[in-house]
Amino acid sequence: MKKEIFTIEEKQQIADGILKLYRNSGMKGRKFAASIGFGESDISNLNTGAWRKNSNLIGDQKWLRLAHKSDFTKDVNLKIETGHTAAFDYITEQLRVCQTASTYSLMCDDAGIGKTYACEQYRKENPYVLYIDCSLCPKPTQFKRAFSAAAGITPVGSIDEVFEVAILSVKQMLRPLLILDEAGDLNDNAFKLIKRLYNDLEDICGISMFGAGGLKHKIERGIGCKKVGFEELFSRFGRDYGRFTPDPSRTSRADFEEYMRKEMETVLLANGFNRQAAAVTCRKMQGRDLRAVKRAIKAIRMNEMQTTN
């Protein structure tokens, strides 16, 4: 007999996670399914529980993809609880304002402070939020596909036609928000598509753009070289790079490290560490970031399990 990758109980947890995303998305079944790379029948099968009666309706590969989309993990020790760091709360509020007021924001800040995590959590918990990881679609055609998929549009016809339909679809959403993460990875032609989206969706869809030093450098270089579209785009985003953390170039490295120590401690406390253990771990992690803290949490938990066993 073929061994299943997931147990029935695990599949139900995955299904529950996907259906929660569905409920929070604000989208109809077909569009939501397309936005996460599935068919409408897949969401229907999860919703009705038909997969329990017929295991062939959803195969192993689909369960693996669904598990990824729902952030399911078999090992609870690998799950990291959200720590409401200063950056997390700031980004969440910034996204909320952009969505409710259909405004625009730009944030260029250090890597590892939790920008992506905060954006992904906001997307999971709020309706009509389109999230694009620009590092996965750096070219214009790839970006158009990613935008169309996020809008829940099935790719039928030429990519330009699909892109146009996606823009029209977003216009029909109630206060949508477009999050462009790792925007510095877009090549120049793809980057200029943001200006197109701004012009088409102004006062209809909020846009929040995130990146690190590479995004700031791209904008500054584009403006300095008088590349078409860069000055106008920067103007549309308020001519402000929106840094939140202490800037070592303006203050001291010690200020930034103290800020990160507090942020790391917040994450550790949210994940079951007492203050003494959190303080010890933070000292060991001096000069590191939140990605390193998450890895440390997992390593410490696994070590404790091995010791117990």
Side-chain angles (χ1 to χ4, degrees):
M1 180 182 293
K2 177 184 174 183
K3 184 177 180 180
E4 297 288 337
I5 296 176
F6 299 109
T7 66
I8 294 295
E9 291 74 18
E10 289 170 341
K11 287 179 179 179
Q12 187 61 60
Q13 291 178 47
I14 294 169
D16 290 343
I18 293 294
L19 292 174
K20 181 180 179 181
L21 291 177
Y22 175 29
R23 290 191 297 271
N24 290 343
S25 72
M27 294 182 176
K28 299 295 185 182
R30 178 174 57 82
K31 285 195 171 185
F32 170 75
S35 75
I36 63 172
F38 290 86
E40 185 176 8
S41 62
D42 296 318
I43 303 304
S44 177
N45 288 331
L46 292 176
N47 196 30
T48 61
W51 60 271
R52 282 179 167 271
K53 299 175 183 178
N54 183 356
S55 61
N56 293 323
L57 290 176
I58 302 178
D60 286 346
Q61 290 188 11
K62 278 190 177 180
W63 279 117
L64 286 169
R65 290 167 53 211
L66 289 166
H68 173 71
K69 291 294 182 180
S70 66
D71 287 337
F72 172 81
T73 177
K74 283 176 173 285
D75 191 343
V76 295
N77 291 291
L78 298 180
K79 182 174 176 57
I80 302 296
E81 298 296 332
T82 298
H84 281 262
T85 63
F88 181 91
D89 289 342
Y90 172 82
I91 293 169
T92 300
E93 177 62 13
Q94 177 177 291
L95 293 172
R96 186 193 66 78
V97 170
C98 282
Q99 182 167 22
T100 56
S102 298
T103 56
Y104 314 95
S105 68
L106 170 64
M107 185 176 187
C108 299
D109 213 317
D110 278 43
I113 67 166
K115 298 188 295 294
T116 294
Y117 184 83
C119 289
E120 289 179 336
Q121 290 300 117
Y122 188 87
R123 174 185 62 83
K124 293 173 185 175
E125 297 170 4
N126 293 275
Y128 305 119
V129 178
L130 287 66
Y131 173 87
I132 298 178
D133 181 347
C134 297
S135 67
L136 301 177
C137 53
K139 298 178 180 180
T141 298
Q142 295 171 328
F143 181 82
K144 288 179 179 179
R145 286 199 186 100
F147 175 79
S148 301
I153 300 303
T154 304
V156 178
S158 73
I159 185 57
D160 288 331
E161 291 172 338
V162 174
F163 187 59
E164 293 293 337
V165 172
I167 292 174
L168 294 175
S169 178
V170 172
K171 285 184 176 182
Q172 300 307 313
M173 295 179 182
L174 179 62
R175 289 191 293 275
L177 173 67
L178 173 61
I179 299 175
L180 301 171
D181 197 14
E182 306 289 357
D185 287 358
L186 294 174
N187 70 24
D188 287 356
N189 288 329
F191 195 74
K192 285 186 284 189
L193 285 172
I194 301 173
K195 178 185 172 184
R196 161 74 192 283
L197 292 176
Y198 180 105
N199 291 340
D200 282 342
L201 300 173
E202 186 175 8
D203 297 327
I204 296 172
C205 177
I207 303 177
S208 287
M209 186 159 51
F210 292 84
L215 175 57
K216 183 178 180 182
H217 177 69
K218 173 184 280 293
I219 296 172
E220 290 178 340
R221 177 172 52 82
I223 294 174
C225 296
K226 300 186 183 303
K227 291 186 177 182
V228 176
F230 278 78
E231 175 68 32
E232 297 94 324
L233 189 62
F234 190 45
S235 172
R236 284 163 170 76
F237 279 83
R239 298 183 183 278
D240 184 0
Y241 291 108
R243 185 183 179 99
F244 173 72
T245 67
D247 188 345
S249 68
R250 296 184 177 181
T251 57
S252 68
R253 187 68 192 177
D255 289 338
F256 179 76
E257 290 187 356
E258 174 59 18
Y259 163 83
M260 286 305 303
R261 185 195 66 76
K262 293 178 181 178
E263 297 287 85
M264 289 189 290
E265 184 178 69
T266 298
V267 174
L268 290 166
L269 292 174
N271 282 275
F273 286 64
N274 59 39
R275 290 200 174 275
Q276 182 178 0
V280 171
T281 302
C282 285
R283 283 197 295 271
K284 293 179 180 178
M285 303 290 289
Q286 186 174 359
R288 310 286 287 281
D289 58 30
L290 296 188
R291 290 194 184 97
V293 168
K294 290 178 180 178
R295 290 194 294 269
I297 291 171
K298 294 176 182 179
I300 290 170
R301 286 176 177 171
M302 296 305 293
N303 184 58
E304 289 175 345
M305 282 185 61
Q306 292 173 359
T307 302
T308 302
N309 293 336

